[in-house]
PDB file of all heavy atoms in Angstrom:
ATOM      1  N   HIS A  28     -64.496 164.233  31.097  1.00 97.00           N
ATOM      2  CA  HIS A  28     -64.338 162.787  31.242  1.00 97.00           C
ATOM      3  C   HIS A  28     -64.742 162.117  29.936  1.00 97.00           C
ATOM      4  O   HIS A  28     -65.908 162.171  29.552  1.00 97.00           O
ATOM      5  CB  HIS A  28     -65.185 162.265  32.407  1.00 97.00           C
ATOM      6  CG  HIS A  28     -64.915 162.974  33.684  1.00 97.00           C
ATOM      7  ND1 HIS A  28     -65.740 163.963  34.171  1.00 97.00           N
ATOM      8  CD2 HIS A  28     -63.883 162.872  34.559  1.00 97.00           C
ATOM      9  CE1 HIS A  28     -65.229 164.421  35.307  1.00 97.00           C
ATOM     10  NE2 HIS A  28     -64.105 163.777  35.562  1.00 97.00           N
ATOM     11  N   ILE A  29     -63.765 161.487  29.285  1.00 98.00           N
ATOM     12  CA  ILE A  29     -63.989 160.897  27.967  1.00 98.00           C
ATOM     13  C   ILE A  29     -63.528 159.443  28.001  1.00 98.00           C
ATOM     14  O   ILE A  29     -62.384 159.161  28.378  1.00 98.00           O
ATOM     15  CB  ILE A  29     -63.193 161.651  26.872  1.00 98.00           C
ATOM     16  CG1 ILE A  29     -63.351 163.168  26.996  1.00 98.00           C
ATOM     17  CG2 ILE A  29     -63.558 161.123  25.490  1.00 98.00           C
ATOM     18  CD1 ILE A  29     -64.743 163.694  26.828  1.00 98.00           C
ATOM     19  N   ALA A  30     -64.407 158.535  27.603  1.00 98.00           N
ATOM     20  CA  ALA A  30     -64.101 157.100  27.598  1.00 98.00           C
ATOM     21  C   ALA A  30     -64.115 156.577  26.164  1.00 98.00           C
ATOM     22  O   ALA A  30     -65.044 156.865  25.406  1.00 98.00           O
ATOM     23  CB  ALA A  30     -65.112 156.350  28.453  1.00 98.00           C
ATOM     24  N   PHE A  31     -63.082 155.810  25.826  1.00 97.00           N
ATOM     25  CA  PHE A  31     -62.964 155.224  24.489  1.00 97.00           C
ATOM     26  C   PHE A  31     -63.076 153.706  24.581  1.00 97.00           C
ATOM     27  O   PHE A  31     -62.291 153.059  25.275  1.00 97.00           O
ATOM     28  CB  PHE A  31     -61.626 155.594  23.847  1.00 97.00           C
ATOM     29  CG  PHE A  31     -61.504 157.061  23.542  1.00 97.00           C
ATOM     30  CD1 PHE A  31     -60.805 157.898  24.385  1.00 97.00           C
ATOM     31  CD2 PHE A  31     -62.101 157.609  22.417  1.00 97.00           C
ATOM     32  CE1 PHE A  31     -60.695 159.258  24.120  1.00 97.00           C
ATOM     33  CE2 PHE A  31     -62.002 158.964  22.138  1.00 97.00           C
ATOM     34  CZ  PHE A  31     -61.290 159.791  22.991  1.00 97.00           C
ATOM     35  N   TYR A  32     -64.033 153.158  23.860  1.00 97.00           N
ATOM     36  CA  TYR A  32     -64.281 151.718  23.822  1.00 97.00           C
ATOM     37  C   TYR A  32     -63.857 151.200  22.458  1.00 97.00           C
ATOM     38  O   TYR A  32     -64.347 151.691  21.434  1.00 97.00           O
ATOM     39  CB  TYR A  32     -65.772 151.435  24.028  1.00 97.00           C
ATOM     40  CG  TYR A  32     -66.285 151.872  25.371  1.00 97.00           C
ATOM     41  CD1 TYR A  32     -66.636 153.200  25.602  1.00 97.00           C
ATOM     42  CD2 TYR A  32     -66.411 150.962  26.410  1.00 97.00           C
ATOM     43  CE1 TYR A  32     -67.107 153.607  26.846  1.00 97.00           C
ATOM     44  CE2 TYR A  32     -66.886 151.366  27.655  1.00 97.00           C
ATOM     45  CZ  TYR A  32     -67.225 152.684  27.860  1.00 97.00           C
ATOM     46  OH  TYR A  32     -67.684 153.089  29.092  1.00 97.00           O
ATOM     47  N   ALA A  33     -62.954 150.246  22.448  1.00 93.00           N
ATOM     48  CA  ALA A  33     -62.493 149.685  21.176  1.00 93.00           C
ATOM     49  C   ALA A  33     -61.595 148.494  21.454  1.00 93.00           C
ATOM     50  O   ALA A  33     -61.054 148.348  22.560  1.00 93.00           O
ATOM     51  CB  ALA A  33     -61.736 150.732  20.371  1.00 93.00           C
ATOM     52  N   GLY A  34     -61.409 147.684  20.455  1.00 91.00           N
ATOM     53  CA  GLY A  34     -60.560 146.516  20.589  1.00 91.00           C
ATOM     54  C   GLY A  34     -59.080 146.865  20.510  1.00 91.00           C
ATOM     55  O   GLY A  34     -58.690 148.012  20.255  1.00 91.00           O
ATOM     56  N   MET A  35     -58.277 145.863  20.737  1.00 91.00           N
ATOM     57  CA  MET A  35     -56.826 145.996  20.664  1.00 91.00           C
ATOM     58  C   MET A  35     -56.429 146.429  19.257  1.00 91.00           C
ATOM     59  O   MET A  35     -56.939 145.921  18.266  1.00 91.00           O
ATOM     60  CB  MET A  35     -56.185 144.635  20.995  1.00 91.00           C
ATOM     61  CG  MET A  35     -54.700 144.679  21.207  1.00 91.00           C
ATOM     62  SD  MET A  35     -54.222 145.428  22.778  1.00 91.00           S
ATOM     63  CE  MET A  35     -54.794 144.222  23.955  1.00 91.00           C
ATOM     64  N   GLY A  36     -55.533 147.408  19.182  1.00 88.00           N
ATOM     65  CA  GLY A  36     -55.020 147.857  17.893  1.00 88.00           C
ATOM     66  C   GLY A  36     -55.960 148.753  17.104  1.00 88.00           C
ATOM     67  O   GLY A  36     -55.729 149.002  15.923  1.00 88.00           O
ATOM     68  N   SER A  37     -56.992 149.268  17.745  1.00 92.00           N
ATOM     69  CA  SER A  37     -57.979 150.076  17.034  1.00 92.00           C
ATOM     70  C   SER A  37     -57.598 151.551  16.922  1.00 92.00           C
ATOM     71  O   SER A  37     -58.251 152.304  16.217  1.00 92.00           O
ATOM     72  CB  SER A  37     -59.333 149.959  17.722  1.00 92.00           C
ATOM     73  OG  SER A  37     -59.222 150.438  19.042  1.00 92.00           O
ATOM     74  N   GLY A  38     -56.571 151.962  17.654  1.00 90.00           N
ATOM     75  CA  GLY A  38     -56.113 153.341  17.537  1.00 90.00           C
ATOM     76  C   GLY A  38     -56.473 154.247  18.702  1.00 90.00           C
ATOM     77  O   GLY A  38     -56.407 155.467  18.572  1.00 90.00           O
ATOM     78  N   LYS A  39     -56.838 153.675  19.838  1.00 95.00           N
ATOM     79  CA  LYS A  39     -57.190 154.499  20.996  1.00 95.00           C
ATOM     80  C   LYS A  39     -56.032 155.400  21.407  1.00 95.00           C
ATOM     81  O   LYS A  39     -56.193 156.616  21.524  1.00 95.00           O
ATOM     82  CB  LYS A  39     -57.605 153.614  22.190  1.00 95.00           C
ATOM     83  CG  LYS A  39     -58.876 152.830  21.975  1.00 95.00           C
ATOM     84  CD  LYS A  39     -59.229 151.959  23.159  1.00 95.00           C
ATOM     85  CE  LYS A  39     -58.255 150.869  23.466  1.00 95.00           C
ATOM     86  NZ  LYS A  39     -58.104 149.812  22.466  1.00 95.00           N
ATOM     87  N   THR A  40     -54.860 154.815  21.612  1.00 94.00           N
ATOM     88  CA  THR A  40     -53.696 155.600  22.027  1.00 94.00           C
ATOM     89  C   THR A  40     -53.281 156.576  20.936  1.00 94.00           C
ATOM     90  O   THR A  40     -52.931 157.729  21.228  1.00 94.00           O
ATOM     91  CB  THR A  40     -52.514 154.677  22.402  1.00 94.00           C
ATOM     92  OG1 THR A  40     -52.929 153.819  23.469  1.00 94.00           O
ATOM     93  CG2 THR A  40     -51.306 155.476  22.839  1.00 94.00           C
TER      94      THR A  40
END
Side-chain angles (χ1 to χ4, degrees):
H28 306 101
I29 313 298
F31 293 100
Y32 297 82
M35 191 74 69
S37 61
K39 294 179 296 295
T40 301

